[in-house]
Amino acid sequence: MVAYMIVRRNDKWSRRVYKFIITGLAIPMQAVIIPVYYLIIRIGLYDTLWALILPSAAFAIPISVMILTNFLRDIPQSLFEAMSVDGASEFMTMTKLAVPMVRPAIITVAIYDGLNVWNGFLFPLILTQSADNRVIPLSLWLFQGQFTVDTPGILAAVVISVLPILTAYIFGRKQMVAGLTAGFSK
């Protein structure tokens, strides 16, 4: 929705919002882990799945908005004008025109962000402690003992952990390639 607003309202305010969001690309999560940890503790979400979901979603916003904005800019303005002449509201224009046309970009963002969250290690390490909220990369790291490493067991667990994201990539690879190439044509 933010990308749609930025593209459709091509004014000074929307350009500032876009620049502000894109500035988030320059902030690595390692640089803000202490404030994030403090915030999660203060709002009472430590050792919950929400402690992993909220920061992961926040760090996914800049790249997602950038990809979707660049892809939406490639849609001809005449299509938006035709929808408004036909009496469509902005919400209908977004849902009936923009979303179907940017499906490759949405799938690209979903796979890219899903892969980043799936492979996340820092947030689960810092923001959780119980085995119930342990994610796969952290579980694989804890799979080894103090003095021994069960190499076949770790390799089997790695293969099993790769299957869900590999399946998502296999089903969405055509859309993902189209989203990566078409969105950056200008």
Side-chain angles (χ1 to χ4, degrees):
M1 289 181 168
V2 172
Y4 180 80
M5 184 274 306
I6 289 169
V7 171
R8 292 290 292 148
R9 292 186 56 182
N10 194 12
D11 59 357
K12 188 177 184 179
W13 187 83
S14 64
R15 285 190 294 273
R16 284 185 181 171
V17 168
Y18 182 68
K19 288 177 184 177
F20 178 74
I21 291 172
I22 294 302
T23 304
L25 288 172
I27 302 170
M29 75 173 71
Q30 294 86 354
V32 296
I33 192 65
I34 293 172
V36 168
Y37 173 77
Y38 182 69
L39 181 66
I40 293 295
I41 292 289
R42 295 279 291 176
I43 60 177
L45 293 178
Y46 183 73
D47 202 25
T48 64
L49 290 178
W50 286 106
L52 303 177
I53 293 168
L54 294 176
S56 298
F59 277 98
I61 289 172
I63 191 72
S64 302
V65 169
M66 185 182 73
I67 290 172
L68 292 172
T69 300
N70 288 331
F71 204 92
L72 279 165
R73 285 183 179 147
D74 287 345
I75 297 175
Q77 192 66 24
S78 60
L79 294 176
F80 292 112
E81 292 169 0
M83 289 285 290
S84 65
V85 166
D86 288 341
S89 65
E90 282 295 321
F91 183 76
M92 183 174 274
T93 303
M94 182 184 72
T95 57
K96 301 292 184 188
L97 174 69
V99 170
M101 292 193 74
V102 297
R103 184 179 309 160
I106 292 171
I107 292 173
T108 300
V109 165
I111 290 175
Y112 179 77
D113 292 339
L115 185 61
N116 283 338
V117 170
W118 190 262
N119 290 329
F121 186 79
L122 183 63
F123 284 149
L125 180 65
I126 303 296
L127 302 176
T128 63
Q129 67 182 11
S130 67
D132 294 340
N133 296 323
R134 192 172 295 152
V135 294
I136 290 177
L138 187 59
S139 295
L140 290 175
W141 178 64
L142 295 173
F143 202 81
Q144 60 190 357
Q146 183 176 359
F147 299 110
T148 62
V149 175
D150 182 13
T151 304
I154 289 176
L155 292 177
V158 167
V159 169
I160 291 171
S161 72
V162 168
L163 291 178
I165 202 73
L166 184 63
T167 304
Y169 173 74
I170 288 170
F171 285 118
R173 73 177 180 266
K174 290 181 184 178
Q175 298 289 328
M176 185 173 167
V177 170
L180 287 173
T181 57
F184 294 100
S185 64
K186 289 185 179 182

